[in-house]
Amino acid sequence: MQAILCDSRFVEAYNNMGNALKDAGRVEEAINCFQSCLVLQANHPQALTNLGNIYMEWNMISTAASFYKAAIAVTSGLSSPLNNLAVIYKQQGSYADAIACYTEVLRIDPTAADALVNRGNTFKEFGRVAEAIQDYIQAVTIRPNMAEAHANLASAYKDSGHQEAAIASYKQALCLRPDFPEVTCNLLHTLQSVCDWENRDTMFREVEEIIRRQIKMSLLPSVQPFHAIAYPIDPLLALEISRKYAVQCSLIASRFGLPPFVHPPPLPVKAEGKHGRLRVGYVSSDFGNHPLSHLMGSVFGMHDRDNVEVFCYALSQNDGTEWRQRIQAEAEHFIDVSAMTSDVIAKMINEDKIQVLINLNGYTKGARNEIFAMQPAPIQVSYMGFPGTTGASYIDYLVTDEFVSPTRYAHIYSEKLVHLPHCYFVNDYKQKNCDVLSLVCPHKRSDYGLPKDKFIFACFNQLYKMDPEIFDTWCNIVKRVPNSVLWLLRFPATGEMRVKAHAAARGVSPDQIIFTDVAMKHEHIRRSELADLFLDTPLCNAHTTGTDILWAGLPMITLPLEKMATRVAGSLCLATGLGDEMIVSSTKEYEDRAVELATNPAKLQALTDKLKEVRLTCPLFDTARWVQNLDRAYFKMWNIYCSGRHPEPFKVKEDDSEFPYDR
């Protein structure tokens, strides 16, 4: 203050005084100081940056960005406005702009390890994992004791399929910083993905304690919702994890500063002789070569065009595959919004007057859930991509079925449950994979190193879905069934040696465990019938894989538990009409049923024959019937909204008088 009194034009004194006042919590006075500084020197970069920082803390993002841009325009040697502007760009999904900012920081200081890590993080979110790895390696070379750089390097290795390198880097990060919850949780997930079960129970207890502590402190849990669905944790804890992630999406949405949207009026689309249509929007990053499109490819064009107008909003670029081309051609409206920011997408959805908006991602890779947090549509629905609760106040309904999400478990979901008839899990095989129905399989067991004369149990799930308890059961089954083997996938390959070692420790010869590579979709379905019986994983079922193998005519054994992801295979089985023969209610029954079918060839053959026989008639594979029921659900949601009622759970019936799908 003395410096300012002595010389009112002492610019730096105003800036320094502003910082002191800000640190003392006197923010309004600090702003006055910074503005006085700018009156004296309009292009003072530190004062511009400091004002930007205040507005950033106040969540006035566009104002903050304007000050950072002004600072950058008047100096070429200051990193902080570039770093902060990069954060804003990244939050808004403008990854290329964020990368450009970090690159400029590194021009100013090539040894800025923090900037390397931040640019690496942005590359990773942008899908450029190889470049992210290079930045992280450079960061740990410059600062070998930087735990965060080792942790992020580990995550990039994990994403690119280098599990062993990921495990080593996670462990290095924990050596440097033992109390690093995110790394502890990510290490556990990586170890599970390669079936490294050493200290598994202890690690799960530790991770559960971390999650509960973080939730109590209102922190974002270090376990992602998509990982939580496959963990042996309390379903109510999984709900709390999802809730925290939903709040985080709302925070991201708030940074765009959009006013609340005005929604279409709550009027029945067929009111007073009108011939309107229900406007339904699907948002997904998986319109392309992805299991979602393999399963839903025909759905978007199958809606009744007289009554439903479909809009598909693609969050990912065109991958040029047949799956993308098909959906693009068959959906009434297909819009590639991959280059747009989330607020622009939300505005477009609202301007399209979407009445029912469906989130096909949930908490999966490529999601932009902040779009839904902005609430561009009056009714918002979760379906298919994420087999669990979103925990989001802005998602009204979850489309599911009575077996997968029984009403008695409604308390573990934040959404109102919509029960479709039969099975909620749609597929496209009747339209796309009819050649599987041919009596002659083009593949032979010898093509894959499978024995011709042995009974083959199979599980084609990713290895992270396995746990020691189910593997014990599988080993017991193989030991009880003479001349039998277990066929698994290198999903990933780094798990193979560990699984064989686990088998040997349980008295099963490693050569009774046969691994093959993951196959392309079409081949994968066809070759499934080379096995005799599919063994499901209870902690997280075969979902897409379960549909694949049932279409191939391969029976399964599945044990449903409580959470959604543990009950999907059971629903698939029920929708074939043969559920009673494939669903069990305990680990002991699982083992005994598998042994009974394997040692009673006539009984297994009868089940296999029945399964093959019903494929073209059972509800599971009747896509057109399923879409009609989905239309019924959408109209019911809209009619509830029109009546002024809050969202409510309901069960869809195939009854035109009670559930018309056209008004």
Side-chain angles (χ1 to χ4, degrees):
M1 186 65 81
Q2 194 65 41
I4 294 171
L5 291 173
C6 293
D7 181 1
S8 63
R9 300 187 67 79
F10 194 4
V11 176
E12 290 307 323
Y14 273 115
N15 186 57
N16 295 339
M17 187 66 186
N19 285 329
L21 289 165
K22 181 174 177 285
D23 291 344
R26 293 158 64 181
V27 181
E28 295 290 352
E29 292 170 78
I31 290 174
N32 289 335
C33 271
F34 294 136
Q35 287 175 336
S36 297
C37 177
L38 291 172
V39 168
L40 299 171
Q41 184 183 326
N43 61 352
H44 193 284
Q46 283 86 1
L48 289 164
T49 301
N50 290 333
L51 279 168
N53 294 344
I54 289 172
Y55 288 112
M56 185 83 156
E57 286 172 21
W58 284 355
N59 208 26
M60 295 173 66
I61 303 302
S62 59
T63 308
S66 65
F67 278 109
Y68 293 143
K69 287 175 185 174
I72 291 162
V74 297
T75 182
S76 60
L78 195 61
S79 295
S80 53
L82 287 159
N83 277 317
N84 296 346
L85 185 60
V87 170
I88 292 173
Y89 281 140
K90 197 171 160 206
Q91 286 172 351
Q92 296 181 339
S94 302
Y95 296 118
D97 290 328
I99 287 166
C101 285
Y102 288 130
T103 301
E104 182 62 16
V105 171
L106 289 163
R107 183 195 63 76
I108 296 166
D109 179 7
T111 64
D114 287 328
L116 282 163
V117 168
N118 289 331
R119 189 174 70 175
N121 295 345
T122 314
F123 275 134
K124 186 165 168 284
E125 284 188 40
F126 205 16
R128 290 159 63 175
V129 182
E131 288 160 284
I133 288 172
Q134 289 308 309
D135 274 355
Y136 297 142
I137 288 172
Q138 202 175 335
V140 299
T141 304
I142 292 166
R143 278 171 56 189
N145 293 333
M146 189 179 182
E148 186 189 352
H150 287 284
N152 293 6
L153 176 59
S155 294
Y157 278 141
K158 179 168 169 271
D159 285 358
S160 53
H162 301 296
Q163 285 85 4
E164 299 295 350
I167 290 167
S169 287
Y170 280 136
K171 287 181 175 176
Q172 180 63 29
L174 284 172
C175 282
L176 295 166
R177 195 198 299 174
D179 183 18
F180 201 157
E182 185 183 339
V183 172
T184 301
C185 296
N186 285 340
L187 174 61
L188 172 61
H189 187 260
T190 312
L191 292 171
Q192 291 314 294
S193 75
V194 295
C195 300
D196 186 328
W197 297 327
E198 193 179 344
N199 301 321
R200 183 178 188 271
D201 292 343
T202 304
M203 283 193 77
F204 267 115
R205 279 194 298 273
E206 184 183 352
V207 162
E208 193 159 327
E209 284 170 20
I210 287 170
I211 299 166
R212 291 190 189 281
R213 192 163 63 244
Q214 289 174 326
I215 287 170
K216 203 171 180 181
M217 295 167 68
S218 292
L219 298 172
L220 191 67
S222 296
V223 169
Q224 297 172 36
F226 191 75
H227 296 167
I229 61 171
Y231 283 178
I233 59 174
D234 183 338
L236 286 173
L237 185 58
L239 169 60
E240 286 304 312
I241 292 169
S242 287
R243 281 193 170 130
K244 292 298 180 194
Y245 275 80
V247 169
Q248 175 71 6
C249 294
S250 292
L251 176 62
I252 293 168
S254 73
R255 290 174 181 146
F256 288 95
L258 289 182
F261 284 112
V262 176
H263 293 144
L267 299 171
V269 292
K270 302 290 184 183
E272 299 164 7
K274 286 196 305 186
H275 298 289
R277 297 191 291 165
L278 191 65
R279 296 166 80 87
V280 172
Y282 291 97
V283 180
S284 178
S285 65
D286 300 327
F287 294 129
N289 185 15
H290 184 278
L292 182 111
S293 292
H294 302 163
L295 293 162
M296 291 192 73
S298 292
V299 167
F300 310 104
M302 270 191 177
H303 284 288
D304 178 358
R305 282 205 183 193
D306 290 338
N307 299 300
V308 179
E309 186 173 1
V310 170
F311 295 73
C312 290
Y313 301 95
L315 300 176
S316 57
Q317 293 178 337
N318 189 343
D319 64 358
T321 63
E322 59 175 299
W323 315 100
R324 174 71 166 231
Q325 305 313 321
R326 181 166 178 223
I327 295 168
Q328 208 165 311
E330 294 182 8
E332 187 167 354
H333 305 280
F334 187 98
I335 309 105
D336 183 339
V337 296
S338 60
M340 299 178 193
T341 54
S342 297
D343 58 329
V344 173
I345 298 169
K347 283 179 193 168
M348 176 183 284
I349 289 166
N350 184 254
E351 285 163 9
D352 286 338
K353 296 183 169 54
I354 298 302
Q355 293 158 303
V356 182
L357 186 67
I358 297 92
N359 185 342
L360 292 176
N361 271 102
Y363 299 111
T364 60
K365 190 176 179 182
R368 288 218 232 160
N369 293 318
E370 64 272 15
I371 293 167
F372 288 83
M374 295 173 196
Q375 292 181 265
I379 298 170
Q380 301 195 149
V381 182
S382 175
Y383 176 65
M384 200 62 172
F386 180 68
T389 182
T390 61
S393 59
Y394 45 82
I395 299 290
D396 305 298
Y397 294 103
L398 172 66
V399 174
T400 179
D401 66 57
E402 214 164 0
F403 185 87
V404 168
S405 309
T407 303
R408 69 182 183 277
Y409 294 149
H411 63 286
I412 67 175
Y413 298 92
S414 61
E415 306 86 352
K416 301 303 180 202
L417 301 178
V418 174
H419 287 155
L420 291 185
H422 318 299
C423 180
Y424 90 102
F425 200 83
V426 72
N427 66 78
D428 202 19
Y429 301 156
K430 197 186 266 192
Q431 288 69 237
K432 286 293 290 180
N433 296 94
C434 268
D435 62 312
V436 171
L437 304 173
S438 156
L439 295 176
V440 182
C441 179
H443 306 292
K444 302 187 295 294
R445 284 186 169 187
S446 56
D447 295 340
Y448 303 101
L450 299 168
K452 267 190 277 190
D453 55 349
K454 294 190 176 182
F455 189 94
I456 298 181
F457 295 104
C459 182
F460 304 135
N461 293 345
Q462 291 189 58
L463 298 183
Y464 78 83
K465 295 186 177 186
M466 285 165 51
D467 67 285
E469 186 180 359
I470 196 60
F471 194 70
D472 284 346
T473 303
W474 291 352
C475 287
N476 291 344
I477 291 166
V478 170
K479 285 191 282 189
R480 287 176 63 186
V481 176
N483 217 25
S484 66
V485 297
L486 176 61
W487 177 14
L488 302 173
L489 296 187
R490 297 185 181 105
F491 208 0
T494 40
E496 180 173 355
M497 294 312 293
R498 286 187 181 88
V499 171
K500 290 194 170 188
H502 291 315
R506 289 160 173 78
V508 172
S509 171
D511 62 12
Q512 286 181 274
I513 312 292
I514 299 171
F515 277 86
T516 61
D517 291 331
V518 177
M520 294 296 285
K521 181 74 174 178
H522 197 262
E523 180 187 355
H524 157 67
I525 296 175
R526 285 289 348 223
R527 74 177 186 179
S528 296
E529 63 182 291
L530 298 176
D532 295 297
L533 184 63
F534 186 90
L535 300 177
D536 191 29
T537 43
L539 266 187
C540 189
N541 292 170
H543 298 178
T544 306
T545 301
T547 322
D548 294 338
I549 62 106
L550 291 171
W551 180 247
L554 176 62
M556 76 158 86
I557 307 291
T558 187
L559 170 60
L561 303 175
E562 191 174 357
K563 286 187 290 189
M564 186 175 184
T566 75
R567 304 181 64 82
V568 174
S571 178
L572 298 173
C573 292
L574 281 173
T576 66
L578 303 168
D580 291 346
E581 297 183 62
M582 296 188 276
I583 300 169
V584 296
S585 57
S586 69
T587 305
K588 184 181 185 307
E589 191 186 353
Y590 183 112
E591 182 179 323
D592 291 344
R593 180 76 58 87
V595 172
E596 180 194 5
L597 287 171
T599 54
N600 190 332
K603 188 167 186 176
L604 179 60
Q605 191 60 54
L607 174 57
T608 304
D609 290 346
K610 280 187 284 184
L611 181 57
K612 288 184 174 180
E613 192 179 311
V614 300
R615 286 178 292 186
L616 285 177
T617 55
C618 70
L620 180 61
F621 299 111
D622 193 340
T623 319
R625 179 179 178 181
W626 184 93
V627 173
Q628 194 175 82
N629 287 324
L630 188 64
D631 285 345
R632 295 179 198 276
Y634 292 158
F635 271 95
K636 178 71 172 179
M637 292 172 193
W638 183 249
N639 290 337
I640 289 170
Y641 176 71
C642 291
S643 70
R645 299 181 343 250
H646 291 295
E648 59 192 50
F650 61 87
K651 178 181 176 181
V652 175
K653 294 178 184 172
E654 295 178 289
D655 177 346
D656 285 345
S657 61
E658 196 177 341
F659 274 85
Y661 63 93
D662 61 351
R663 60 184 180 276

